[in-house]
Amino acid sequence: MTNKNSPALEQEFEHEPVPLSHRHSTGSVSAVWFGFPMILTNALFGGIITWHLGFWPALIAILLGNLVLFAYVGALSWFAGNTGMNFALQAKRTFGTKGYILVSGFLSTVVIGWYAFQTGLTGTVINQTFGWNALAVTAFAMVLYTAITFLGVRALSVLGMIAAPLFVVLGLVALWLISKDHDFSTITQFTGSSSAVGAMSMGTAVTMVVAGFADSGTMTADFTRWSKDGKSAVIAAFSAFPVANVISYLFGVVIVAVGAAVDPASNGGNFLPMLMGHGMLLSVIAFLFVFINLGSVCTHCLYNGAVGFSHLFSSKMRLWTVILGVIGGALALAGVWSYFLEWLSLLGIVVPPFGAVMIVDLIFMAKISEQRQLRQLRRMRGSAFAAWAIGSLCAVIAHIAFPQFGEAVIGLMTAAASYTLIVKLKGESTVTVMEEKNA
């Protein structure tokens, strides 16, 4: 039972749906998701996309990517809000009582890779901006982020309430400082760098936007299961995609388009350097901002991983928060995190097909899924894994051969279509009807 005197350490319901009596307000759940995408990394990516495509094409790519994310994350969130199930419980219904171990274990490991990457990035950013020892800062960040995650989902909500407004305020301050030396009326005329023309397609840019939150977006149920119902969960997802995600990207778009970015080809629209050299107060706030901002990403990823592994090992979320926090922190301290980015981005292409299969199975084929749940669940559902494999293969082929068409979207669509076709060909719907008649 929940300890009424310690709401910060309330039960996390790792192994069962969150009961209605313990659900949180729409605002509280939205704060969890809204603060997640409001990060410097997105401003960096927004700037890089703009550097390659120009203002208007970049804007279109960012909006398209966010529409895909909203449809994807919104659908998974709707089911989570209606059932209270976390990602592992959802995956168990679609992929089987043993098959889900592969899915949940894989994604829970991937998000810890992102946790390690962002924790290491914290030390690097502080080192490059303020000159502090990178390893010492990384170690401190590991302890800080693990401690916040240990408190549970309510702590993520509070952090989001701080991180998102602070990002917007400092972003606006950076733009105000930039306006003193740059003409903002020319923003829409920026057509991209002549040296970068043709290096990135519209489809690649859309995939970059989608892949950025493919992992935690697929595991959205870990957050949105706390919603009072499906509608509230969709609102929470909408607060992130497109609202918060687009806002964070736009700062990077504007900074590059106006010509104020520092090394836009690799540093994109990162506005942190523009806050330096303007007084001690702003420097101190910027220093705290790095921990709050990147901490928002790290705590969310660590929470996803801890919930996933706690269910896999029939354990507690807080125990796995400590274990994974230390493991991810060790990877960050070892410097391994700097090799993760391309690998994690590729995984971001093959992860969405998992969610596509779950959306079709749990929502569009809900009756079949529910009947399967009421009877005996299969240990391994080959049809679900086959559809994921087809979707992932198509996404990887597209990534190699024709990324201009958007490999992430191709993976989503082919996985969903494949699962629908496989279920129809196997006659699962017919079997279900016959079982109902004989019941």
Side-chain angles (χ1 to χ4, degrees):
M1 295 295 291
T2 302
N3 185 348
K4 297 293 186 180
N5 297 320
S6 184
L9 294 176
E10 68 178 341
Q11 187 175 344
E12 291 293 325
F13 299 100
E14 299 93 338
H15 311 293
E16 59 185 302
V18 178
L20 289 173
S21 59
H22 289 70
R23 304 288 183 94
H24 299 169
S25 68
T26 303
S28 177
V29 180
S30 295
V32 174
W33 250 132
F34 185 76
F36 198 174
M38 200 77 79
I39 51 175
L40 273 173
T41 313
N42 277 355
L44 184 149
F45 287 154
I48 291 175
I49 291 172
T50 306
W51 178 249
H52 284 83
L53 300 182
F55 179 82
W56 290 113
L59 199 59
I60 293 170
I62 291 166
L63 291 175
L64 286 175
N66 274 276
L67 286 176
V68 172
L69 280 172
F70 173 63
Y72 179 70
V73 179
L76 291 169
S77 294
W78 179 83
F79 186 81
N82 280 332
T83 63
M85 290 183 178
N86 60 30
F87 173 75
L89 291 172
Q90 290 183 358
K92 185 177 290 187
R93 179 180 288 191
T94 298
F95 292 95
T97 57
K98 298 299 181 184
Y100 94 97
I101 295 174
L102 298 175
V103 180
S104 184
F106 175 61
L107 266 71
S108 296
T109 301
V110 171
V111 292
I112 295 305
W114 279 114
Y115 160 78
F117 177 79
Q118 298 286 352
T119 301
L121 187 62
T122 304
T124 298
V125 170
I126 292 294
N127 171 260
Q128 293 175 348
T129 308
F130 299 96
W132 289 35
N133 183 277
L135 288 179
V137 173
T138 300
F140 173 75
M142 173 191 70
V143 175
L144 177 64
Y145 301 157
T146 302
I148 294 173
T149 309
F150 187 87
L151 297 176
V153 73
R154 285 194 182 277
L156 302 191
S157 177
V158 172
L159 184 59
M161 292 177 185
I162 299 170
L166 185 59
F167 178 92
V168 173
V169 169
L170 289 184
L172 291 174
V173 169
L175 293 181
W176 176 71
L177 292 170
I178 291 169
S179 68
K180 295 179 178 181
D181 303 309
H182 296 80
D183 182 9
F184 277 71
S185 65
T186 63
I187 289 176
T188 58
Q189 300 171 24
F190 183 73
T191 56
S193 169
S194 58
S195 62
V197 172
M200 180 184 291
S201 67
M202 176 71 71
T204 301
V206 171
T207 294
M208 184 183 292
V209 176
V210 175
F213 279 90
D215 309 321
S216 287
T218 303
M219 302 176 80
T220 181
D222 291 344
F223 308 131
T224 49
R225 64 193 170 117
W226 297 94
S227 301
K228 292 187 179 298
D229 51 38
K231 180 181 177 181
S232 296
V234 172
I235 292 173
F238 181 80
S239 74
F241 316 107
V243 180
N245 210 37
V246 168
I247 291 173
S248 59
Y249 268 88
L250 281 179
F251 279 104
V253 170
V254 172
I255 288 169
V256 169
V258 80
V262 177
D263 187 18
S266 59
N267 204 31
N270 178 14
F271 55 78
L272 189 63
M274 293 145 207
L275 301 175
M276 298 297 100
H278 297 283
M280 179 63 72
L281 178 60
L282 188 56
S283 295
V284 171
I285 295 173
F287 177 84
L288 296 174
F289 169 68
V290 174
F291 288 97
I292 295 170
N293 192 255
L294 296 180
S296 178
V297 183
C298 291
T299 53
H300 283 71
C301 290
L302 184 55
Y303 184 82
N304 276 141
V307 171
F309 275 103
S310 65
H311 189 84
L312 288 173
F313 289 92
S314 299
S315 186
K316 293 294 184 180
M317 182 278 291
R318 291 185 173 88
L319 172 63
W320 279 98
T321 294
V322 175
I323 294 172
L324 297 175
V326 171
I327 292 174
L331 291 173
L333 288 168
V336 180
W337 67 273
S338 60
Y339 299 99
F340 282 178
L341 190 55
E342 289 187 9
W343 179 69
L344 291 170
S345 296
L346 179 61
L347 291 180
I349 297 170
V350 302
V351 165
F354 280 124
V357 171
M358 292 171 66
I359 289 170
V360 174
D361 182 60
L362 300 173
I363 299 176
F364 294 101
M365 296 183 174
K367 193 170 186 179
I368 301 172
S369 179
E370 288 167 5
Q371 287 296 324
R372 190 190 314 123
Q373 178 75 6
L374 290 172
R375 292 174 172 81
Q376 185 175 1
L377 278 174
R378 291 177 60 183
R379 292 166 61 88
M380 185 79 71
R381 294 198 63 245
S383 55
F385 280 102
W388 166 77
I390 293 171
S392 296
L393 179 62
C394 290
V396 171
I397 291 173
H399 176 72
I400 297 171
F402 40 89
Q404 65 272 21
F405 294 112
E407 56 262 44
V409 178
I410 289 173
L412 280 168
M413 294 178 65
T414 53
S418 298
Y419 184 71
T420 303
L421 184 61
I422 291 171
V423 169
K424 295 294 184 183
L425 290 176
K426 287 184 65 178
E428 283 193 32
S429 55
T430 305
V431 171
T432 301
V433 172
M434 294 301 295
E435 286 177 344
E436 286 179 340
K437 288 182 178 179
N438 296 329

